[in-house]
């Protein structure tokens, strides 16, 4: 019965004009044929081997080591196209083979004939295969075969070429050595200090055969091009749009010329069109129905008659005053999007129509400037969501982006060692939605070309594939108002500077002008920078980088901070004085619940067990040694941080001790990151005029040690809740300088207008007794801060008769913003919590009836960092009565806290009961729950 049903499905779908290759029966085999299994598209080799039972889930235990054999082999995907060839090509005049993503070194054959060899994971490929599939040309072999060469072995071979320029010292090796910079592939696939090295391969994005007829007439509606439907379609479309670009900018604006905010808007659309028919007088029109706007007709060149697509272009001018502008969610009117209707009147009897969603905004550097006004960029950095792109779920990515917005972030940096993020699953084979969600949520996306932490070769065979890679991705992303810049890569400028000083061939680098020239030729709406981190430029036209000509204080460009000496975690002298800090972080463990997803032996649930340590890749191994010989250093940094600043976890329950250790590393991570965020935000009122703080990092690629604020499953770490307060638009912070015993309380505002309010400072002892309280009025200028309290000397700061270990300070601010009340809460302890005289808080939990509402009450002492955990198999967020994320707070006796768990039903595998939720505090580091 199953075979008959499958045949019926194939017969039904072969009439499709866009034939999804996922509907074929695929086979995967290795080089010598010892492994042959069913396969799918889109997919990757590890995933197909897992489904076939050849290997277990790659993320389990030490499978990143035991499954390395897959990396060294070559793999072939094969499917029989006979059903397609027999039915679909009868009326076709042109057939296109479309691959939206091949990972990576692939040789494609069709019907026994060569089609192409590819070497770039980031390109889409469209091949005219009419001569191979139309009835007059088909022979006995009807197979489509994609042969993938081992990317690692390819890298070894190409780096051995006589013209290969080699940089001594490893050139950015993390795990698989010496190859990644020679391969246009996700760089972290070869290992990074927060993730595994699986080096996957496969047809990892959707693929299609598209039939075009020369007898088609009528009116047709398409999806946003280039389309990637989930299923085959029966619409006989007259054209296929291989690429599209919608760039919106101001008249006269360019990379080197800032926009005139009062000038008219330019809507610039470009399309690459395939057609089997010849259309002599096509015209294009644009319309925005919501604004009752319609463009004039734009004459296009003749379409059809060529193997290559025909590029067409039209520019439409719109008065500045008509559209509402797009802003990030925390500024002005927020994100406003419009549907642009594009109509191609190909002939008197044939028309094609599709919609593109976009918005109107201007963006400038060097501070980010949106619609003519500087603002504070608050956010994190994005890494790949999974080692295997093909299985990333749209629901997971949506949740991670929503988690960023919920925690007050308005910008995400798409790290340049990962992948180009997709627009949506329905465009260019995206698999999941990214930029579309950023557009809707009002999250700015700092985009980067995929070059990271290495010097990249400038051989012609590399530049020849990089050029179309960059163009394709810039064109696709142009329509997204959330995109605010293109950077040429990650952390490369500093390497260039050092190599130019130390090597005779110091110019071995992807030429700064090469990427710049491509980017600015394809977009006029966003800026380009050579990389992050950068010292900026001396000139935009001509484009001249500053390099070592930066003035003292690093006030140009941007900077980063990583300091793994926990004794310096709160030393402001070690924080950069910078206009923008695009990376800063500290690593932590995932939760006990995440470890349960990948550990299979009870003996593994220990902070320094072999398996746990094998998943700490910081510092990286720098080669293939396993387990990572440098992991003890990274483990030690977390251990010392907890021992220095928190009660050291040690109970009679080994699982509880491990859970408290994991959680305590997250508390320290949050403490040190919130201190840096406060410092950088305060810089907006100082000479450096700091207007950006992007924490490293937002998401996880697996369950292991990392810098993330959201775990692989979507579970929030302590840091993500902490950022919700740290990124509040008006907030209060305590600045403590231990060397001279100075305490300053500062209110910071990101608003574009003056803000007034009050701060309440309340000293408590650890019993929860209120000792002294004071109220301070404040007025904060736009994008600035105000000091509301300053004192030096512990004897003048602490309540009379109390020592630093006996007390702590609660800081609350209240401000009026646009008729809303904005509140903030922070905490200050004048000594390490490891020295504090904590008392059993005796936390009582009252669970709501019929919902996941919890009232927490301390009946003993104060419970610092009170934390409520949702059970395994669930994803969601805890919010307070105002709907703001709330967890990891100080619970004071007789001051109950009510929180509600908002379940993400799409990611959760079950609906939990209230009894499954667990509450912990620092008291449980040394006392059983």
């Amino acid at each position: 019965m199953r075979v008959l049903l499958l045949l019926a499905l194939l017969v039904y779908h072969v009439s499709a004009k866009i034939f999804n290759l996922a509907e074929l029966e695929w086979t995967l085999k290795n080089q010598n044929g010892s492994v042959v299994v069913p396969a799918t598209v889109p997919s990757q080799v590890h995933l197909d081997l897992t489904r076939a039972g050849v290997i277990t889930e790659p993320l389990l235990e030490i499978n990143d080591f035991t499954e390395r054999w897959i990396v060294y082999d070559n793999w072939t995907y094969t499917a029989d196209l006979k059903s397609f060839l027999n039915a679909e090509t009868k009326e076709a005049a042109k057939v296109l083979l479309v691959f939206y993503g091949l990972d990576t070194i692939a040789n494609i054959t069709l019907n026994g004939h060569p089609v192409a060899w590819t070497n770039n994971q980031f390109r889409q490929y469209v091949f005219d295969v009419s001569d191979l599939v139309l009835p007059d040309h088909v022979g006995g072999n009807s197979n489509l075969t994609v042969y993938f060469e081992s990317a690692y072995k390819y890298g070894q071979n190409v780096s051995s070429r006589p013209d290969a320029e080699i940089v001594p010292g490893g050139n950015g090796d993390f795990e698989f050595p010496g190859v990644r910079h020679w391969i246009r592939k996700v760089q972290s696939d070869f290992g990074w200090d927060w993730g595994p090295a699986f080096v996957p391969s496969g047809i990892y994005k959707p693929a299609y055969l598209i039939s075009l007829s020369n007898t088609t007439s009528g009116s047709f509606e398409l999806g946003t091009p280039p389309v990637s439907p989930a299923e085959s379609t029966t619409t006989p479309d007259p054209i296929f749009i291989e690429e599209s670009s919608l760039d919106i900018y101001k008249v006269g604006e360019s990379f080197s010329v800032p926009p005139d905010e009062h000038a008219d808007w330019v809507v610039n659309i470009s399309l690459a069109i395939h057609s089997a028919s010849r259309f002599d007088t096509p015209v294009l029109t644009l319309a925005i129905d919501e604004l009752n706007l319609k463009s004039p007709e734009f004459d296009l060149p003749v379409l059809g008659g060529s193997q290559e697509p025909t590029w067409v272009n039209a520019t439409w001018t719109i008065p500045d005053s008509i559209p509402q502008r797009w802003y990030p969610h925390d500024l002005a009117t927020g994100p406003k999007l419009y549907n642009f209707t594009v109509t191609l009147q190909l002939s008197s009897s044939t028309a094609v129509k599709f919609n593109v969603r976009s918005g109107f905004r201007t963006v400038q550097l060097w501070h980010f400037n949106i619609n003519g006004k500087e603002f504070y960029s608050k956010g994190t950095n994005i890494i790949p969501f999974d080692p295997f792109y093909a299985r990333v779920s749209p629901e997971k990515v949506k949740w991670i982006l929503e988690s960023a917005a919920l925690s007050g972030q308005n910008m995400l940096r798409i790290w340049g060692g990962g992948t180009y993020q997709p627009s949506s699953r329905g465009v260019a084979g995206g698999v999941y939605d990214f930029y579309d969600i950023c557009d809707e949520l009002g999250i700015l996306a700092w985009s980067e070309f995929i070059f990271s932490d290495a010097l990249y070769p400038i051989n012609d065979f590399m530049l020849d594939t990089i050029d179309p890679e960059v163009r394709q991705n810039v064109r696709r992303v142009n329509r997204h108002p959330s995109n605010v810049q293109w950077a040429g890569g990650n952390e490369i400028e500093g390497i260039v500077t050092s190599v130019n000083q130390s090597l005779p061939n110091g110019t071995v680098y992807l030429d700064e002008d090469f990427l710049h020239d491509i980017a600015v030729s394809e977009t006029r709406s966003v800026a380009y920078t050579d990389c992050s981190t950068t010292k900026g430029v001396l000139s935009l036209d001509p484009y001249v980088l500053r390099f070592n000509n930066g003035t003292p204080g690093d006030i140009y460009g941007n900077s980063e901070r990583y300091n793994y000496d926990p004794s310096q975690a709160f030393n402001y002298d070690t924080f950069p004085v910078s206009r923008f800090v695009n990376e800063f972080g500290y690593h932590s463990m995932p939760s006990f619940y995440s470890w349960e997803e990948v550990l299979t032996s009870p003996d593994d649930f220990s902070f320094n067990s072999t398996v746990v340590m094998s998943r700490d890749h910081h510092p990286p191994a720098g080669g293939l040694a396993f387990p990572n010989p440098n992991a003890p250093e990274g483990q030690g940094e977390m251990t010392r941080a907890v021992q220095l600043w928190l009660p050291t976890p040690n109970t009679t329950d080994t699982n509880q001790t491990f859970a408290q250790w994991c959680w305590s590393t997250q508390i320290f991570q949050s403490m040190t990151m919130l201190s840096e965020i406060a410092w950088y935000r305060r810089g907006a009122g100082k000479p450096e005029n700091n207007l950006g703080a992007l924490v490293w990092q937002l998401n996880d690629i697996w369950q292991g040690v990392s810098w993330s604020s959201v775990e692989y499953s979507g579970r929030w770490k302590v840091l993500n809740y902490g950022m919700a307060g740290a990124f509040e638009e008006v907030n209060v912070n305590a600045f403590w300088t231990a060397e001279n015993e100075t305490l300053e309380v500062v209110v910071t505002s990101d608003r574009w207008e003056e803000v007034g309010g009050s701060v309440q400072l309340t000293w408590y002892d650890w019993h929860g007794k209120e000792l002294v309280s004071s109220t301070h009025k404040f007025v904060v200028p736009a994008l600035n801060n105000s000091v509301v309290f300053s004192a030096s000397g512990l004897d003048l700061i602490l309540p009379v008769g109390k020592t630093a270990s006996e007390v702590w300070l609660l800081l609350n601010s209240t401000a009026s913003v646009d008729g809303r009340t904005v509140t903030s809460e922070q905490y200050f302890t004048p000594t390490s919590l490891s020295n504090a005289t904590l008392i059993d808080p005796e936390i009582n939990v009252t669970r709501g009836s019929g919902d996941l509402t919890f009232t927490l009450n301390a009946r003993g002492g104060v419970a610092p960092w009170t934390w409520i955990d949702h059970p395994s198999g669930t994803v969601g967020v805890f919010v307070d009565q105002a709907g703001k994320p709330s967890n990891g707070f100080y619970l004071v006796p007789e001051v109950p806290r009510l929180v509600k768990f908002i379940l993400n039903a799409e990611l959760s595998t079950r609906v939990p009961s209230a009894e499954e939720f667990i509450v912990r505090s620092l008291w449980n580091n040394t006392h059983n729950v």
Side-chain angles (χ1 to χ4, degrees):
M1 178 64 71
R2 188 184 72 83
V3 174
L4 290 175
L5 177 61
L6 179 60
L7 288 174
L9 287 171
L10 286 173
V11 170
Y12 173 77
H13 283 306
V14 293
S15 63
K17 303 306 177 184
I18 298 181
F19 185 82
N20 191 333
L21 297 186
E23 297 169 21
L24 296 173
E25 291 190 10
W26 289 88
T27 299
L28 171 69
K29 70 174 183 178
N30 67 338
Q31 179 71 38
N32 66 12
S34 61
V35 178
V36 182
V37 299
T40 57
V41 170
S43 188
Q44 284 157 302
V45 171
H46 288 76
L47 304 182
D48 287 319
L49 294 178
T50 303
R51 282 187 284 264
V54 176
I55 62 173
T56 57
E57 161 58 45
L59 297 188
L60 286 177
E61 291 282 338
I62 59 171
N63 280 354
D64 59 317
F65 171 68
T66 61
E67 295 173 1
R68 278 182 182 171
W69 62 273
I70 300 169
V71 178
Y72 303 131
D73 213 336
N74 302 319
W75 298 90
T76 301
Y77 282 84
T78 302
D80 190 345
L81 289 176
K82 188 175 297 181
S83 56
F84 171 84
L85 300 175
N86 289 343
E88 183 59 25
T89 60
K90 290 180 180 179
E91 298 179 359
K94 187 173 187 176
V95 179
L96 304 174
L97 176 59
V98 178
F99 289 104
Y100 283 118
L102 294 169
D103 182 11
T104 293
I105 310 302
N107 192 34
I108 307 162
T109 63
L110 181 57
N111 298 341
H113 298 281
V115 174
W117 177 81
T118 69
N119 64 347
N120 194 316
Q121 180 179 0
F122 308 122
R123 289 177 60 183
Q124 67 177 48
Y125 293 96
V126 178
F127 306 110
D128 188 333
V129 294
S130 305
D131 290 346
L132 301 179
V133 301
L134 294 182
D136 293 341
H137 303 282
V138 176
N141 183 343
S142 55
N143 284 342
L144 172 60
T145 299
V146 185
Y147 170 87
F148 288 97
E149 180 182 351
S150 164
Y152 178 53
K153 291 186 176 179
Y154 167 83
Q156 289 179 314
N157 291 335
V158 75
S159 62
S160 300
R161 289 171 51 127
D163 60 344
E165 297 180 275
I166 304 300
V167 178
N171 197 17
D173 290 338
F174 286 78
E175 195 160 327
F176 281 89
V179 299
R180 67 176 177 87
H181 46 288
W182 290 99
I183 310 173
R184 297 309 302 139
K185 177 174 173 55
V186 171
Q187 298 292 271
S188 58
D189 281 353
F190 299 93
W192 220 264
D193 53 1
W194 36 252
F198 286 105
V199 198
S201 61
I203 307 171
Y204 80 109
K205 287 185 177 182
Y208 303 89
L209 278 163
I210 297 175
S211 302
L212 299 175
S213 170
N214 56 15
T215 59
T216 303
S217 64
S219 182
F220 306 90
E221 291 197 10
L222 310 179
T224 302
V227 296
S228 51
E231 298 178 346
S232 297
T233 66
T234 57
T235 304
D237 301 327
I239 62 172
F240 172 68
I241 301 175
E242 179 178 331
E243 288 191 69
S244 67
S245 171
L246 184 74
D247 200 20
I248 301 176
Y249 49 88
K250 290 289 191 171
V251 170
E253 180 184 357
S254 69
F255 168 72
S256 58
V257 179
D260 176 351
E261 295 296 335
H262 303 290
D264 290 345
W265 294 101
V266 176
V267 178
N268 186 344
I269 186 168
S270 299
L271 306 170
I273 301 175
H274 287 273
S275 173
S277 302
R278 178 183 171 92
F279 298 105
D280 292 321
T281 57
V283 296
L284 180 149
T285 58
L286 294 154
I288 307 175
D289 292 342
E290 184 179 344
L291 298 176
N292 295 315
L293 287 176
K294 186 175 182 179
S295 75
E297 291 186 345
F298 299 102
D299 294 330
L300 303 179
V302 173
L303 298 178
S306 171
Q307 247 190 348
E308 297 299 316
T310 301
W311 276 97
V312 303
N313 172 262
T315 56
W316 179 27
T317 303
I318 297 175
D320 169 69
S321 60
I322 294 180
Q324 180 179 321
R325 297 199 182 198
W326 186 98
Y327 287 90
H329 66 90
D330 60 339
L331 294 175
T333 52
K336 174 60 180 177
L337 297 170
Y338 293 99
N339 286 323
F340 292 72
T341 300
V342 183
T343 302
L344 288 163
Q345 190 69 45
L346 301 173
S347 69
S348 60
S349 60
T350 306
V352 171
K353 182 182 294 187
F354 61 87
N355 285 329
V356 179
R357 196 153 172 79
S358 189
F360 295 83
R361 59 89 181 94
T362 64
V363 176
Q364 296 179 66
L365 287 177
W366 293 85
H367 280 134
F368 283 106
N369 172 314
I370 188 91
N371 294 319
K373 300 188 73 171
E374 290 184 339
F375 66 97
Y376 203 95
S377 300
K378 304 174 291 187
T380 52
N381 290 259
I382 286 278
I383 64 170
F385 297 100
D386 196 281
F388 307 102
Y389 183 103
R391 74 172 179 186
V392 176
S393 75
E395 295 78 17
K396 180 177 182 178
V397 176
K398 180 182 178 184
W399 170 247
I400 291 173
L401 296 181
E402 289 174 340
S403 297
L406 285 169
S407 59
Q409 302 177 48
N410 62 17
M411 181 177 288
L412 297 175
R413 174 177 165 244
I414 304 165
W415 172 69
T419 191
Y420 296 95
Q421 292 297 337
S423 296
S424 68
R425 69 192 95 172
V427 174
V431 176
Y432 57 90
D433 311 319
F434 186 86
Y435 284 101
D436 273 8
I437 297 179
C438 290
D439 291 345
E440 296 284 348
L441 292 179
I443 298 176
L444 298 160
W446 165 330
S447 302
E448 295 187 355
F449 302 137
I450 307 304
F451 304 92
S452 181
D453 288 285
L455 300 181
Y456 286 82
I458 55 175
N459 304 72
D460 287 344
F461 70 89
M462 289 290 290
L463 301 186
D464 287 346
T465 192
I466 290 170
D467 184 294
E469 164 199 326
V470 172
R471 292 188 190 279
Q472 287 177 2
N473 284 285
V474 173
R475 291 165 184 161
R476 175 180 57 81
V477 175
N478 268 342
R479 72 176 174 91
H480 297 286
S482 57
N483 187 42
V484 291
Q485 80 155 333
W486 283 103
N490 168 66
E491 296 179 327
I492 299 177
E493 188 178 293
I495 303 175
V496 173
T497 302
S498 63
V499 167
N500 280 341
Q501 293 174 345
S502 61
L503 293 179
N505 64 339
T507 57
V508 182
Y509 171 58
L510 188 61
D511 189 351
E512 65 189 69
D513 294 330
F514 181 76
L515 295 175
H516 162 271
D517 292 352
I518 298 172
V520 302
S521 71
E522 296 292 349
T523 183
R524 295 177 66 173
S525 61
V526 296
Y528 171 85
T529 53
D530 73 304
C531 82
S532 54
T533 302
T534 175
K535 290 185 178 179
V537 299
L538 292 173
S539 169
L540 291 175
D541 188 12
Y543 185 62
V544 181
L545 297 178
R546 184 176 294 274
F547 287 122
N548 280 335
N549 291 328
T551 59
D554 298 323
I555 64 171
Y556 299 94
N558 45 46
S559 63
E560 59 185 53
R561 179 188 186 266
Y562 292 101
N563 188 321
Y564 298 113
D565 178 355
S567 69
Q568 301 302 304
F570 309 103
N571 181 355
Y572 305 129
D573 288 340
T574 68
F575 295 0
V577 176
S578 175
R579 292 160 56 90
F580 198 109
V581 187
N582 57 276
E583 282 191 36
F584 56 101
Y586 206 98
H587 49 308
S588 69
M589 285 275 191
S591 66
F592 188 90
Y593 298 100
S594 283
W595 285 118
E596 285 185 310
E597 296 167 8
V598 294
L599 302 182
T600 59
S601 170
D603 295 337
D604 292 336
F605 288 83
S606 174
F607 193 82
N608 289 317
S609 73
T610 300
V611 178
V612 167
M613 288 187 67
S614 77
R615 299 171 82 93
D616 186 345
H617 290 194
H618 165 73
L624 294 173
F626 185 91
N628 176 16
N630 298 320
E633 182 178 342
Q635 296 288 105
E637 290 164 355
M638 292 186 292
T639 300
R640 290 189 294 274
V642 171
Q643 291 173 335
L644 183 61
W645 295 104
L646 300 168
T648 301
N650 183 23
T651 72
T652 59
D653 184 323
T654 57
N655 273 356
Q656 180 187 325
T657 298
F658 180 49
Q660 292 294 128
W661 263 110
C662 294
W663 177 63
S664 294
T665 66
Q666 294 186 16
I667 292 175
F668 173 77
Q669 177 194 36
S670 183
M671 289 169 60
T672 185
M673 290 301 95
L674 300 194
S675 176
E676 287 195 56
I677 291 170
W679 170 262
Y680 302 137
R681 288 187 67 185
R682 188 180 183 183
K686 292 187 173 183
E688 68 267 24
N689 192 22
N690 182 298
L691 289 181
L694 304 183
V695 175
W696 183 269
Q697 68 205 60
L698 176 60
N699 62 306
D700 259 335
I701 196 171
W702 73 336
Q703 305 91 335
V705 175
S706 82
W707 290 251
S708 74
S709 65
V710 178
E711 297 178 18
Y712 176 76
S713 67
R715 180 184 295 269
W716 285 25
K717 287 184 177 179
V718 178
L719 174 57
N720 217 59
Y721 285 100
M723 286 190 294
F727 285 146
E728 184 64 74
E729 55 191 326
V730 182
N731 81 342
V732 61
N733 288 283
F735 291 86
W736 170 248
T737 304
E739 289 74 18
N740 58 11
E741 294 187 345
T742 297
L743 175 66
E744 291 182 298
V745 176
V746 178
V747 176
T748 300
S749 172
D750 297 330
R751 300 293 301 178
W752 281 338
E753 71 280 354
E754 184 178 270
V755 172
S758 63
V759 168
Q760 186 81 16
L761 303 179
T762 307
W763 284 98
Y764 288 93
D765 64 19
W766 291 111
H767 291 274
K769 179 182 179 181
E770 182 179 319
L771 302 174
V772 63
S773 182
S774 59
T775 301
H776 308 263
K777 299 290 185 180
F778 67 80
V779 175
V780 183
L783 262 182
N784 213 309
N785 55 78
S786 293
V787 177
V788 298
F789 174 86
S790 181
S792 296
L794 274 177
D795 55 335
L796 298 177
I797 295 172
L798 299 180
V800 175
K802 296 296 181 179
T803 64
S805 63
E806 296 175 313
V807 295
W808 63 281
L809 178 65
L810 173 65
L811 302 87
N812 292 105
S813 68
T814 303
S816 178
V817 176
D818 289 340
R820 299 175 290 115
T821 299
V822 175
T823 62
S824 167
E825 178 174 295
Q826 297 293 340
Y827 319 102
F828 166 68
T829 56
T831 186
S832 164
L833 282 166
S834 64
N835 302 324
T837 54
L838 300 182
I839 297 166
D840 185 352
E842 301 178 35
I843 298 175
N844 177 69
V845 182
T846 303
R847 291 164 169 84
S849 177
D851 64 3
L852 298 177
T853 299
F854 306 87
T855 302
L856 282 60
N857 218 326
R859 297 178 300 185
V862 175
W865 294 101
T866 298
W867 183 258
I868 182 166
D869 258 326
H870 51 92
S872 60
T874 63
V875 175
V877 60
F878 293 96
V879 299
D880 62 16
Q881 290 172 290
K884 296 168 59 175
S886 181
N887 208 348
F889 43 77
Y890 279 39
L891 187 63
V892 180
E894 299 183 9
V895 185
R897 293 272 192 157
L898 187 147
V899 295
K900 182 176 183 178
F901 183 66
I902 308 299
L903 182 75
N904 184 315
E906 291 182 317
L907 292 181
S908 300
T909 58
R910 62 192 182 90
V911 177
S913 66
E915 286 69 28
E916 296 179 89
F917 289 69
I918 296 174
V919 175
R920 68 180 83 237
S921 74
L922 285 182
W923 180 257
N924 303 117
N925 276 14
T926 52
H927 299 80
N928 290 353
V929 175

